[in-house]
Amino acid sequence: MSNGLENNNSSMYPETLDALVIGAGVTGIYQLYRLREAGINAKIFEAGGGVGGTWYWNRYPGARFDSESWTYGYSFSEELLQEWSWKEHFSGQPENEKYLNYVTDKFKLRDRICFNERIKAATFDNESNTWQVESETGRCVTTKYLIAAVGILSATHMPEIDGIQSFKGQSFHTSRWPHDPVDFSGKKVGVIGTGACAVQLIPHVAKECGHLTVFQRTPNFCAPLHNSEIDDETQQEIKSKYPEIFKRCNETIAGFIHEADPRSTFDLSEKEREEFYEDIWSQPGFKKWFGNFRDLMTNREANEIYCEFVRKKIRERVDDPVVAEMLCPKDHHFGAKRIPLETNYYESYNRENVRLVDVKNDSIQEILPNGLRTAKEHYELDIIIYATGFDAITGELTRMDIRGSAGKTIREHWKEGPKNYMGLQTSEFPNLFIENGAVFCNFTRCAEVTAEFVSNCIVHMKENNLNRIEATSEAEREWGDHSNHLIRNMLTSDVNSWFFGTNIPGKAQAFLFYAGGGPAYRSKCDEVAANNYDGFKLS
Ligand code: NAP
């Protein structure tokens, strides 16, 4: 035991740690590495049977990065960067899971990870300034710091549809996909939802199954991924340029290599604009979103011009004009919701074995033992896939019984909407760090920032004999006002989506990210640390 940790319930909570990290995903793995390097006695408790988080759970066919693989990997170890060779520019789930296992073993972290240990409850003890934590298996631990590295999209959302339990066929949620392959051959499959997961999954299922029915409530603007293998020459080039690649990612708002074009949509003639759109559309990844004109996300007229370009692209790819129109979004701006990147998604609807059903106008009434029923029709199905998303960002935390210094649960504390300071802490929950994607960002780029901030902070606490750190409610309020001000000027706030929690019935609505971008967030972290953790109360 280190740091003189003792607690009154030592017999009930015999195991003691300086830091308990929840989750062995991208953030948790790096957090554990940093803490161990700093001499902090830390462990991860992971609900799954392996490392990877998102890349452990989301093993549905077609799951892959939407970030360039070589911008998604960890940047902290030059040796790792040189050893690991990404095979594709946008790597698939099996490879991503393999990478995270490789990192875990290379840095000898596995023996500090407790698998199949889902945290059930955590209570803060004001006297000892420690957390008493219990897992679902009954394992009890006292820890000074509790670090929730639970990811932003981990709490599965199942829709509330009558009769779900009555279905006699196989059913899956994309984020709880089985380890053994699902046999689709000859089967009648239904996919509910057309978000980013469904868009990756549908082309694979369509090819393999007997018949596929896609139940779409709202179409999304999807853009071509343009994935390809990385040849040897490119591999060498990537490996020689990592410092430049990460420097660039650190300079862009969303942590990708793509940077907004400094011109306005209206600086160009119609012809020049069309050429520009064609150019970004032909390039891989999010270039066609983050590399667009600077006013794409702030000017409705500019955005609508691009929307029409994208709708034209959809119409060109879908043979049946009625189906094409069903796939063209008309109720939101391009980029106001997360853009799914796709390969052969739209072509899937040209297949004879695929049917698109509009469940906005003909809503799903009931799941039946042999399929589902909309208001107008009965669909016989052998397999139902729920691609219905997540209770994003806060869901995993509010599902645990986490009680802070005032005895309230985090769910009660956030009843009117989640409050936080820098996305990292919430008042009344001392020594709890929340690392679930404060910024909308190429995930690992920003996860490294928060993991480094938290480990540096814990070291600072240790070196200064401090035991308790808590965001002040004033700092929390100011941060909330600042964040809301930033998002108000963006078209993102015009539409309901998981960004605001509106996909979950009864969830308080609030923008769940920091919209100021990676560089501003990093500066804030540096500034706060340099100013003795300004905005936090340390004692
Ligand atoms: P999502 O984008 O929230 O999509 C959920 C879908 O389910 C929506 O089409 C939604 O329709 C539909 N839905 C929900 N309840 C329904 C109901 N009762 N009846 C009919 N339809 C219903 O979820 P997701 O596809 O899981 O993606 C979530 C996020 O994960 C993405 O935005 C992205 O950030 C991330 N993701 C990342 C990657 C990657 O980086 N490679 C890949 C996949 C996903 P409505 O739109 O009408 O609500």
Side-chain angles (χ1 to χ4, degrees):
M1 192 172 69
S2 56
N3 267 15
L5 278 177
E6 288 290 356
N7 74 84
N8 300 333
N9 292 324
S10 53
S11 56
M12 277 177 68
Y13 292 84
E15 191 175 351
T16 56
L17 293 169
D18 290 346
L20 190 156
V21 181
I22 312 176
V26 169
T27 314
I29 292 170
Y30 183 52
Q31 184 66 77
L32 179 63
Y33 169 78
R34 290 292 301 211
L35 291 169
R36 196 205 49 200
E37 293 302 285
I40 306 290
N41 176 23
K43 274 188 187 171
I44 295 181
F45 274 43
E46 163 57 51
V51 301
T54 283
W55 302 110
Y56 173 84
W57 295 104
N58 292 264
R59 43 182 73 238
Y60 59 84
R64 64 176 60 251
F65 286 153
D66 277 349
S67 311
E68 284 76 5
S69 314
W70 32 274
T71 69
Y72 190 99
Y74 295 112
S75 69
F76 68 90
S77 161
E78 183 57 25
E79 199 177 282
L80 171 66
L81 289 166
Q82 295 308 319
E83 267 173 26
W84 183 265
S85 300
W86 293 105
K87 295 193 176 70
E88 294 173 275
H89 285 279
F90 300 88
S91 173
Q93 178 274 332
E95 187 72 1
N96 308 345
E97 189 186 12
K98 206 165 134 193
Y99 170 74
L100 292 164
N101 274 284
Y102 181 82
V103 174
T104 302
D105 292 329
K106 176 175 172 61
F107 296 100
K108 302 192 170 39
L109 298 169
R110 200 172 289 276
D111 66 343
R112 306 297 294 171
I113 305 175
C114 310
F115 293 104
N116 303 305
E117 292 286 8
R118 182 177 285 282
I119 299 301
K120 181 169 87 176
T123 306
F124 188 71
D125 176 37
N126 281 302
E127 262 176 53
S128 59
N129 288 319
T130 59
W131 284 94
Q132 284 156 0
V133 187
E134 188 182 345
S135 75
E136 284 185 356
T137 65
R139 192 158 163 187
C140 295
V141 180
T142 297
T143 179
K144 187 172 227 174
Y145 301 101
L146 183 61
I147 304 172
V150 293
I152 56 174
L153 295 156
S154 40
T156 293
H157 169 56
M158 279 294 282
E160 286 169 20
I161 305 174
D162 286 345
I164 283 193
Q165 302 302 333
S166 73
F167 186 60
K168 293 274 187 268
Q170 290 178 291
S171 59
F172 308 99
H173 189 282
T174 45
S175 75
R176 291 293 176 272
W177 203 263
H179 285 235
D180 294 329
V182 177
D183 180 11
F184 292 110
S185 52
K187 302 271 171 57
K188 292 191 278 293
V189 183
V191 173
I192 301 177
T194 49
C197 291
V199 165
Q200 290 188 330
L201 166 103
I202 283 168
H204 293 265
V205 177
K207 265 195 298 189
E208 288 176 36
C209 72
H211 187 272
L212 171 65
T213 312
V214 178
F215 299 94
Q216 170 184 269
R217 197 161 60 182
T218 318
N220 273 303
F221 286 107
C222 310
L225 175 66
H226 296 311
N227 187 24
S228 57
E229 285 182 10
I230 298 176
D231 60 37
D232 290 346
E233 198 183 320
T234 313
Q235 190 73 256
Q236 295 306 323
E237 197 189 339
I238 289 169
K239 289 191 180 182
S240 69
K241 287 195 173 154
Y242 270 124
E244 282 168 58
I245 290 167
F246 292 128
K247 181 172 178 290
R248 184 171 171 83
C249 291
N250 285 346
E251 286 164 359
T252 62
I253 295 286
F256 289 85
I257 46 161
H258 315 293
E259 195 167 19
D261 190 289
R263 294 169 297 177
S264 154
T265 305
F266 304 103
D267 288 345
L268 283 77
S269 70
E270 206 175 309
K271 182 169 172 289
E272 288 167 334
R273 199 157 56 210
E274 193 75 5
E275 281 167 7
F276 172 82
Y277 288 160
E278 288 289 354
D279 177 42
I280 55 174
W281 199 254
S282 69
Q283 294 190 45
F286 281 132
K287 177 79 178 176
K288 54 282 264 184
W289 185 8
F290 301 131
N292 214 303
F293 294 121
R294 67 170 154 79
D295 51 1
L296 177 78
M297 295 310 299
T298 51
N299 184 314
R300 287 185 180 79
E301 208 187 325
N303 193 289
E304 181 50 32
I305 294 172
Y306 192 56
C307 286
E308 207 34 49
F309 171 84
V310 180
R311 291 187 199 109
K312 185 183 77 185
K313 289 287 175 198
I314 297 171
R315 290 174 187 128
E316 280 169 9
R317 289 171 63 187
V318 179
D319 295 343
D320 182 335
V322 176
V323 177
E325 263 347 276
M326 285 166 75
L327 289 164
C328 284
K330 313 228 170 67
D331 69 339
H332 65 274
H333 306 291
F334 182 94
K337 292 189 187 185
R338 161 69 151 76
I339 299 296
L341 293 179
E342 52 80 30
T343 306
N344 292 329
Y345 174 64
Y346 289 110
E347 285 73 14
S348 302
Y349 295 98
N350 297 335
R351 298 176 64 96
E352 296 220 326
N353 69 335
V354 177
R355 177 176 172 193
L356 180 65
V357 173
D358 170 7
V359 290
K360 185 157 256 166
N361 292 312
D362 180 18
S363 65
I364 300 173
Q365 303 291 307
E366 188 184 8
I367 305 287
L368 302 165
N370 69 346
L372 70 75
R373 187 174 66 76
T374 63
K376 294 187 188 149
E377 207 169 325
H378 174 195
Y379 298 85
E380 268 189 36
L381 301 168
D382 304 310
I383 298 176
I384 298 180
I385 299 172
Y386 296 92
T388 46
F390 299 87
D391 183 352
I393 304 189
T394 56
E396 202 63 53
L397 289 161
T398 54
R399 287 176 190 190
M400 290 182 259
D401 187 0
I402 301 180
R403 289 175 192 268
S405 55
K408 263 192 296 182
T409 63
I410 213 160
R411 172 179 272 276
E412 288 160 350
H413 186 62
W414 284 349
K415 215 164 106 212
E416 310 297 328
K419 301 176 273 186
N420 66 65
Y421 178 45
M422 299 170 69
L424 279 171
Q425 268 211 344
T426 186
S427 60
E428 296 183 24
F429 288 79
N431 296 5
L432 168 68
F433 291 102
I434 301 166
E435 296 194 301
N436 51 0
V439 190
F440 182 72
C441 190
N442 190 358
F443 195 80
T444 316
R445 301 282 57 80
C446 289
E448 284 185 342
V449 177
T450 48
E452 284 162 20
F453 181 89
V454 169
S455 54
N456 292 343
C457 176
I458 290 175
V459 169
H460 173 87
M461 298 285 293
K462 188 177 175 182
E463 285 173 354
N464 292 281
N465 262 333
L466 295 161
N467 290 311
R468 180 171 169 136
I469 174 165
E470 180 178 3
T472 67
S473 35
E474 193 190 359
E476 191 171 69
R477 199 170 42 250
E478 278 172 16
W479 181 255
D481 290 347
H482 170 59
S483 295
N484 289 334
H485 171 75
L486 290 171
I487 193 64
R488 227 172 279 135
N489 298 326
M490 297 181 71
L491 300 183
T492 317
S493 59
D494 280 6
V495 66
N496 289 338
S497 73
W498 64 259
F499 289 175
F500 291 88
T502 48
N503 61 326
I504 303 300
K507 184 167 175 173
Q509 296 181 18
F511 187 62
L512 298 169
F513 285 113
Y514 171 65
Y521 186 77
R522 244 190 334 276
S523 300
K524 174 76 181 173
C525 287
D526 293 344
E527 191 188 301
V528 165
N531 288 316
N532 199 23
Y533 293 91
D534 190 22
F536 295 96
K537 191 171 159 215
L538 279 57
S539 56

